[in-house]
Amino acid sequence: MAKKAKASVEKIVKKVNQEFEKTSSQIEGLISDAMKQFETLQHQVQDPVRKLLKDVDELREREMKRLNDEFERRLDEFHELQSNILERLGVASKEDIRKAEKESIKELKKAPATKKPAKKAAPKKAAPKKAAAKKPAAKKAAVSKPAVAKAPAARAKKPVDKSNLTLVKGIGPATAKKMKEAGITSIDQIANPSAADLETLKGFTNIKGSDQFTVEAKKIS
């Protein structure tokens, strides 16, 4: 009886060990499958997240570029509007002021040369006291007058820079730049436009006073 009981116990222990090993292998297999599924799930989650982040970065770059372009366009419109307002108010731009200063300096340098003959003729009038000597002095004064009168004529002949489109009333620096880019590079093209020039000028009809550009340009040319 003792031997039979011992044999049955050993069978039970052996069977339990076999079941335990079998269960352990099953558990290990389940854990391995769970780990594989977890890795797969992790990739499935990470890939959309990476794609989403990439799309967000691209969208941000596009929006930044669009906002930058819009800002530059609005800034150009503001500068053009500012120039037009200053022109209507009669306030010259910095560039016009510099040009006027340069021209005034040139005129001041030329002015002493034209005034010197008049200064030399002045002492000769007061020197003689006799009535007979006064007549030649009057003749000399008459001779010196044409020399003084010639000075304004010489200044009037100063050539106009016809490439400076801002000399035409109503055309500001920003508009002049756009006109030159479109092919209008001279005031003569505005004063006496060809068929092609007329088509080009039609693109600037939205500017206030554009209907007077040709009239104002003819005054200069």
Side-chain angles (χ1 to χ4, degrees):
M1 291 292 292
K3 289 181 179 179
K4 288 181 180 179
K6 186 178 180 181
S8 61
V9 169
E10 288 177 355
K11 286 180 181 179
I12 292 169
V13 170
K14 187 177 180 181
K15 189 176 181 179
V16 169
N17 289 334
Q18 289 176 351
E19 291 294 329
F20 179 77
E21 289 176 359
K22 184 180 178 180
T23 305
S24 297
S25 62
Q26 288 177 351
I27 292 170
E28 288 177 358
L30 290 172
I31 292 172
S32 178
D33 292 339
M35 290 298 293
K36 289 178 181 178
Q37 290 178 2
F38 176 74
E39 289 178 359
T40 304
L41 181 63
Q42 189 176 16
H43 285 300
Q44 290 176 352
V45 172
Q46 286 179 348
D47 291 342
V49 169
R50 288 195 190 100
K51 187 176 182 301
L52 179 62
L53 291 174
K54 185 179 178 182
D55 293 341
V56 169
D57 289 338
E58 290 177 355
L59 178 63
R60 182 178 60 186
E61 289 178 2
R62 286 198 300 270
E63 287 298 314
M64 288 297 293
K65 186 177 182 301
R66 186 182 67 79
L67 290 172
N68 189 40
D69 294 340
E70 181 69 15
F71 174 75
E72 289 180 356
R73 186 178 68 81
R74 293 293 178 89
L75 189 63
D76 290 339
E77 290 178 356
F78 172 75
H79 286 159
E80 185 173 355
L81 179 62
Q82 186 183 38
S83 299
N84 290 334
I85 291 172
L86 290 174
E87 286 175 4
R88 291 192 186 97
L89 294 174
V91 180
S93 63
K94 291 181 179 179
E95 186 178 352
D96 294 335
I97 293 171
R98 288 173 183 171
K99 287 182 180 178
E101 288 176 353
K102 288 180 181 179
E103 289 178 2
S104 63
I105 290 169
K106 288 179 181 178
E107 289 178 0
L108 288 172
K109 287 180 179 179
K110 292 178 181 179
T114 56
K115 291 179 180 178
K116 281 180 182 178
K119 287 180 180 179
K120 289 179 180 178
K124 292 180 180 178
K125 291 180 184 179
K129 292 182 180 180
K130 294 181 181 179
K134 287 181 181 179
K135 291 179 181 179
K139 289 179 181 179
K140 288 178 182 178
V143 172
S144 63
K145 284 180 181 178
V148 176
K150 286 179 182 178
R155 291 177 188 175
K157 290 179 181 178
K158 187 176 180 180
V160 177
D161 183 9
K162 293 188 178 181
S163 65
N164 185 7
L165 303 183
T166 58
L167 295 175
V168 179
K169 187 177 179 181
I171 298 178
T175 303
K177 183 181 178 182
K178 290 181 180 178
M179 282 186 172
K180 287 186 177 181
E181 290 174 353
I184 304 298
T185 59
S186 173
I187 293 174
D188 292 334
Q189 288 178 268
I190 303 172
N192 301 296
S194 63
D197 293 336
L198 282 172
E199 289 297 322
T200 303
L201 290 171
K202 284 180 182 179
F204 298 91
T205 53
N206 60 334
I207 297 172
K208 189 174 181 181
S210 60
D211 55 338
Q212 296 296 317
F213 286 172
T214 302
V215 177
E216 297 295 334
K218 284 181 179 180
K219 292 178 183 179
I220 298 170
S221 59

